Amino acid sequence: MEERPSTLSLHGRRSSLILRLSQDVPEIIYWGKRISAQTDATMLSLLSAQQQEIAGGARNPVPLSLTPTIGQGYMAHPGLAISTVSPNADSPYADYDAPSAWSLSPKIKRLVRHSETHHTIVCEDDHRQISLLHNINLDTATDVLTICTSIENRSNAAINVAWCAAATLPLPHHISHIMGFEGRWASEFHTHTLHQNSGAYVRENRRGRTSHDCFPGLILHHAHTHEAQGEAYGFHLGWSGNHRLMAEKNADGRPIVQMGELLLPGEIMLSPGASYNSPNLYASYSAAGFTKLSQQFHAHLRENILRPKIVEKPRPVHYNTWEAIYFDHDLDTLKTLANKAADIGVERFVLDDGWFPGRNNDRGGLGDWFVDAEKYPEGLQPLIQHVNDLGMSFGLWFEPEMVNPDSDLFRQHPDWILQTAHNPQTHFRHQTVLDLTRPEVTEYLFDRINSLLTTLNIEYIKWDMNRDLNHPGNALGNPAVHQQTRALYALLEKVRTAHPSVEIESCASGGGRADYGILAHTDRIWTSDNNDALERLKIQKGFSYFFPSELMGSHVGPRDCHITHRTLPMTLRAPVALFGHMGMEMDLRELTAEEETELKAMVSLYKTHRHFIHSGNLYRLDLNEANTSTGPSASIGFGIVSKDQSEALFSYSLLLSTTAAHPTYYRFAGLIPDACYELNIIWPLKGNGHWPKSSLFQLETNLPNIDGKVFTGEALMQLGFQLPVLTPQSNLIFHLSRCK
Ligand code: GLA
């Protein structure tokens, strides 16, 4: 249906987004808490109108459209940067005299209605023959806005697109703080918070994958917002290539967020008739703190992006071979590990890197996706059979986008890689990147993967990607991160279509490709290569702002962590893995009898509770527990409450000693205030010698006597319970079940 009303009102359950369409360009005039029917859009339009001429400024206000352009007179960072390249020499209009594209000023032509909350606003610049289409959808159930912009070249000249933001979204002036993400390999998803000053906070990622250091997410919020209270706006770009994120307070004081794909010089050339689609920007508003904001994003992923079939299926306990054997594959060892894994309760055995020829270290083999006949003289079948006989399914590691120069594939097709002419390749884990924009490359990769999936009982792919794209030029010598990313999505889709029951994990050195774009084609994320439980608590907290627990690959690592070289007890390692998609990744032969008992117990807790760990609502807690040297970060607390609020698991981890003699109160969240809950402390295991005790003094009874008692939801949430004095690196898990 096509129409042209003067305003467009989209309402979610808790938020509203109102646009003015009566002027030349689409402008957001309100985005925030849901407004009632009493408030009509005209009132908002009037209230948001500039009241007087700005002294020393433009006489009429310069609009802040969904895509502000230079042609509209916009003076901050434009939403679009394009230029005319050349007229099409074959066209009858070869001596093209239309105005150049750089000063585009598209005007609203029509509104296409797909549903109550999903519309396309079509804008056209009649002089330049270029259209901008804004696709905008506020999901009523989850309050997540999905917005993107397409540019259509209807002219007879080619145009270069240097920047086309998914959208430029204005924010209320009282939103003063920016939470951004930073990190590195094995230390991903750390956050920082800044006060927003005049000017721009800009984050750019040019790594050719989502990146470890610049996760494409931002949260803008009020100075006093915390987990349980206050206003917050979340933004995430669903894209696995390069990106630019910007939170800008314009010189005229208007705050905006703009996000889009970062395009390399000359990367997008639109010939006459061609178009470019920006990635989706996902955005949401919460009036009730960061936790609520995350719950909205989690629900949106679950309901609109992930495959329903996978969402409904229990996530099996994984065993991954990487940190147990690395490249040292030996059938008998693997069978022993499989036996141990099955005994502990593992349900899926994943054979990591090292199973293909020439892969005895990371210097060779990538690209030759055949089973190594030396390590596996009878192929993988005997191992898979053994694993299946033990009742476990089988998963296999691939890194399809890569090739080692020391491989048959590279020797046969040295030209199949991304490269920039006359520049030596930047060394990066002894591997280079295949040019997926060449159809023969993706045909080869599909053929190899398909043949293994067809002939062997493989139910899971760990799809890895272990380097940046430092030289992202294709065979034509053009920059190709955009096309490479699209080609990757197409290849994943082809594999999925041919093998719909196979699940795919997105792993880019752990945490390097975590975004909603890749999640439209994959089923879980390997969160980080760092299995150190203390590090993981922080990484997983950062991850949880935009991703729910079932997507978070979380493994119990070895006693001595291979990455941080820290030694941590099973009593801490196991509970940290419980709250994700649980697995283990260690040489199971190292387990002491006590560790094995604890690990088995944790696996069984996971199996009992995963139905709501993976579908319930996450609550991060503001424990505000002090350690004078590090500020309020001595502990991390969070919980998951089942959707019907009848059951919950809460976790408390003490990372550092606290400086207060009286430990803090642990205040639960998300319960029904007037319902009664039985509280049980289910971790550490009772009677296992690890029950928490003071490091200096034994309490008379070392069991806090709240265990097994019944409390109202409001008592647990308003007062909470005073934590026992614990030693650092301790963890407690509370189980709450509503009394019948
Ligand atoms: C990456 C992954 C690891 C492992 C190795 C194998 O680092 O993140 O989990 O699969 O590659 O080389």
Side-chain angles (χ1 to χ4, degrees):
M1 191 182 133
E2 293 191 0
E3 47 188 44
R4 171 75 198 270
S6 59
T7 53
L8 171 63
S9 301
L10 310 177
H11 300 286
R13 278 217 306 240
R14 301 184 194 84
S15 66
S16 298
L17 179 80
I18 318 287
L19 290 110
R20 175 163 47 217
L21 304 179
S22 57
Q23 307 297 306
D24 283 342
V25 297
E27 295 163 274
I28 293 177
I29 51 172
Y30 178 83
W31 179 27
K33 200 167 181 170
R34 190 187 156 104
I35 46 166
S36 69
Q38 241 183 317
T39 303
D40 71 36
T42 330
M43 294 179 188
L44 298 170
S45 186
L46 266 174
L47 287 166
S48 66
Q50 198 166 306
Q51 300 296 319
Q52 76 280 325
E53 190 176 324
I54 301 171
R59 180 146 195 198
N60 291 317
V62 173
L64 181 45
S65 69
L66 286 176
T67 298
T69 68
I70 299 171
Q72 291 160 6
Y74 188 68
M75 306 215 68
H77 197 270
L80 186 77
I82 58 173
S83 55
T84 303
V85 178
S86 67
N88 177 359
D90 303 330
S91 104
Y93 308 98
D95 54 357
Y96 178 81
D97 62 355
S100 177
W102 72 275
S103 53
L104 190 83
S105 183
K107 304 200 169 28
I108 302 174
K109 277 283 143 83
R110 57 191 181 277
L111 181 70
V112 183
R113 183 183 190 273
H114 309 290
S115 73
E116 186 78 8
T117 55
H118 182 190
H119 296 77
T120 302
I121 305 168
V122 180
C123 305
E124 288 172 1
D125 183 322
D126 293 332
H127 304 290
R128 295 168 182 80
Q129 297 290 303
I130 294 169
S131 307
L132 274 192
L133 283 76
H134 304 284
N135 194 305
I136 174 163
N137 187 358
L138 179 64
D139 185 48
T140 321
T142 63
D143 284 278
V144 171
L145 172 75
T146 305
I147 185 164
C148 65
T149 295
S150 308
I151 174 163
E152 279 178 13
N153 181 10
R154 296 180 292 108
S155 78
N156 292 298
I159 57 174
N160 168 239
V161 181
W163 172 241
C164 175
T168 301
L169 302 175
L171 290 165
H173 289 232
H174 64 272
I175 297 298
S176 54
H177 284 67
I178 305 169
M179 185 198 290
F181 291 80
E182 63 184 64
R184 61 169 170 86
W185 171 74
S187 201
E188 302 81 3
F189 303 108
H190 287 264
T191 57
H192 52 242
T193 300
L194 312 169
H195 184 267
Q196 186 170 27
N197 296 312
S198 191
Y201 164 94
V202 182
R203 302 294 305 279
E204 289 192 345
N205 165 43
R206 297 167 182 272
R207 297 188 183 280
R209 52 178 175 168
T210 321
S211 88
H212 292 93
D213 51 312
C214 185
F215 168 71
L218 290 178
I219 295 175
L220 275 89
H221 58 93
H222 189 270
H224 304 304
T225 300
H226 53 83
E227 287 298 345
Q229 264 173 25
E231 291 191 280
Y233 291 80
F235 304 86
H236 168 67
L237 191 76
W239 182 243
S240 317
N242 292 337
H243 59 249
R244 181 184 288 127
L245 321 175
M246 192 180 299
E248 183 169 25
K249 194 183 245 181
N250 297 350
D252 61 19
R254 290 182 288 185
I256 58 105
V257 163
Q258 192 178 85
M259 289 189 178
E261 179 180 11
L262 185 149
L263 297 167
L264 297 172
E267 183 159 15
I268 300 288
M269 291 291 181
L270 296 184
S271 50
S275 57
Y276 165 82
N277 302 324
S278 81
N280 283 338
L281 167 58
Y282 299 90
S284 196
Y285 165 79
S286 157
F290 300 130
T291 277
K292 185 67 180 165
L293 186 70
S294 294
Q295 289 175 3
Q296 290 168 188
F297 280 111
H298 297 176
H300 190 74
L301 261 172
R302 287 171 176 164
E303 288 164 29
N304 299 297
I305 299 179
L306 302 174
R307 291 195 286 180
K309 229 173 53 190
I310 307 298
V311 171
E312 285 149 21
K313 231 171 87 179
R315 303 258 177 177
V317 181
H318 276 198
Y319 176 72
N320 183 289
T321 59
W322 179 237
E323 292 202 0
I325 57 164
Y326 292 102
F327 299 102
D328 196 6
H329 288 215
D330 164 73
L331 187 58
D332 289 338
T333 306
L334 285 165
K335 282 183 173 172
T336 307
L337 291 172
N339 295 344
K340 284 217 118 222
D343 181 48
I344 289 165
V346 167
E347 297 161 306
R348 180 181 281 153
F349 186 94
V350 182
L351 186 68
D352 210 283
D353 196 355
W355 55 269
F356 43 96
R359 195 65 173 168
N360 299 317
N361 47 48
D362 63 6
R363 290 170 178 267
L366 290 177
D368 298 339
W369 302 110
F370 297 86
V371 179
D372 183 352
E374 275 175 36
K375 290 179 186 165
Y376 298 96
E378 295 168 61
L380 286 179
Q381 183 52 28
L383 176 61
I384 297 178
Q385 194 58 56
H386 185 80
V387 164
N388 290 162
D389 289 346
L390 289 165
M392 298 183 287
S393 66
F394 185 80
L396 193 60
W397 182 93
F398 288 89
E399 195 180 355
E401 297 146 78
M402 297 291 157
V403 64
N404 284 118
D406 182 8
S407 67
D408 288 343
L409 183 72
F410 186 82
R411 280 182 281 275
Q412 283 156 22
H413 303 285
D415 55 330
W416 274 14
I417 59 169
L418 291 175
Q419 52 195 313
T420 57
H422 309 297
N423 298 321
Q425 285 277 345
T426 303
H427 295 281
F428 204 127
R429 216 191 184 210
H430 316 284
Q431 62 196 55
T432 55
V433 189
L434 286 170
D435 179 357
L436 301 192
T437 72
R438 298 172 77 127
E440 61 275 31
V441 174
T442 47
E443 272 157 32
Y444 165 78
L445 292 172
F446 177 75
D447 178 61
R448 289 315 318 137
I449 297 168
N450 184 45
S451 137
L452 286 155
L453 296 189
T454 308
T455 51
L456 296 165
N457 190 17
I458 297 169
E459 292 185 11
Y460 182 83
I461 294 177
K462 176 174 177 179
W463 188 295
D464 213 338
M465 196 283 199
N466 284 316
R467 72 157 292 169
D468 296 338
L469 274 54
N470 295 68
H471 294 280
N474 63 14
L476 302 171
N478 294 325
V481 179
H482 171 81
Q483 284 181 57
Q484 178 86 358
T485 310
R486 292 265 178 232
L488 165 70
Y489 290 164
L491 177 59
L492 283 162
E493 227 26 60
K494 200 170 168 188
V495 172
R496 252 195 188 186
T497 309
H499 302 277
S501 61
V502 171
E503 289 167 44
I504 305 180
E505 175 182 60
S506 169
C507 169
S509 325
R513 196 144 66 188
D515 65 81
Y516 290 14
I518 203 73
L519 283 170
H521 310 281
T522 54
D523 306 293
R524 111 168 185 159
I525 289 166
W526 179 228
T527 318
S528 172
D529 273 359
N530 196 339
N531 286 326
D532 175 314
L534 286 177
E535 298 290 322
R536 266 297 183 127
L537 279 166
K538 291 176 258 174
I539 294 170
Q540 294 183 178
K541 180 176 178 186
F543 185 86
S544 78
Y545 284 103
F546 287 92
F547 304 101
S549 56
E550 66 270 28
L551 292 178
M552 184 171 78
S554 194
H555 294 172
V556 179
R559 190 182 312 121
D560 301 320
C561 175
H562 294 189
I563 289 188
T564 60
H565 300 290
R566 189 152 42 194
T567 303
L568 292 173
M570 185 60 80
T571 43
L572 183 70
R573 284 179 282 146
V576 171
L578 170 71
F579 288 91
H581 178 182
M582 188 184 175
M584 56 204 77
E585 182 164 343
M586 64 167 92
D587 189 339
L588 295 172
R589 294 168 298 184
E590 80 168 28
L591 291 172
T592 62
E594 191 178 19
E595 286 170 337
E596 194 167 323
T597 309
E598 287 166 336
L599 185 54
K600 273 186 181 163
M602 190 52 81
V603 166
S604 133
L605 283 177
Y606 172 80
K607 288 180 181 170
T608 310
H609 299 297
R610 64 183 154 193
H611 63 281
F612 77 87
I613 296 178
H614 294 165
S615 64
N617 283 321
L618 172 79
Y619 288 85
R620 287 181 302 264
L621 304 178
D622 292 305
L623 291 174
N624 205 26
E625 207 164 10
N627 172 293
T628 39
S629 52
T630 58
S633 59
S635 59
I636 290 187
F638 62 89
I640 298 185
V641 181
S642 68
K643 270 195 187 147
D644 65 1
Q645 295 167 291
S646 66
E647 218 181 340
L649 280 177
F650 276 83
S651 161
Y652 170 77
S653 302
L654 184 65
L655 284 65
L656 303 165
S657 299
T658 57
T659 43
H662 280 259
T664 194
Y665 278 71
Y666 190 91
R667 299 170 80 218
F668 296 86
L671 308 174
I672 302 169
D674 57 2
C676 284
Y677 291 89
E678 184 179 321
L679 170 66
N680 278 289
I681 303 182
I682 59 169
W683 193 264
L685 297 176
K686 292 167 197 152
N688 206 31
H690 283 304
W691 188 250
K693 46 186 179 261
S694 156
S695 50
L696 299 176
F697 309 104
Q698 285 284 334
L699 296 174
E700 211 163 277
T701 158
N702 56 8
L703 270 184
N705 59 11
I706 57 160
D707 203 34
K709 302 283 182 341
V710 170
F711 305 94
T712 55
E714 79 185 341
L716 293 167
M717 294 192 291
Q718 296 310 318
L719 177 63
F721 106 93
Q722 191 173 19
L723 286 158
V725 178
L726 298 174
T727 48
Q729 306 184 358
S730 306
N731 173 279
L732 299 176
I733 298 179
F734 310 99
H735 178 253
L736 292 164
S737 63
R738 190 178 174 179
C739 306
K740 298 266 166 12

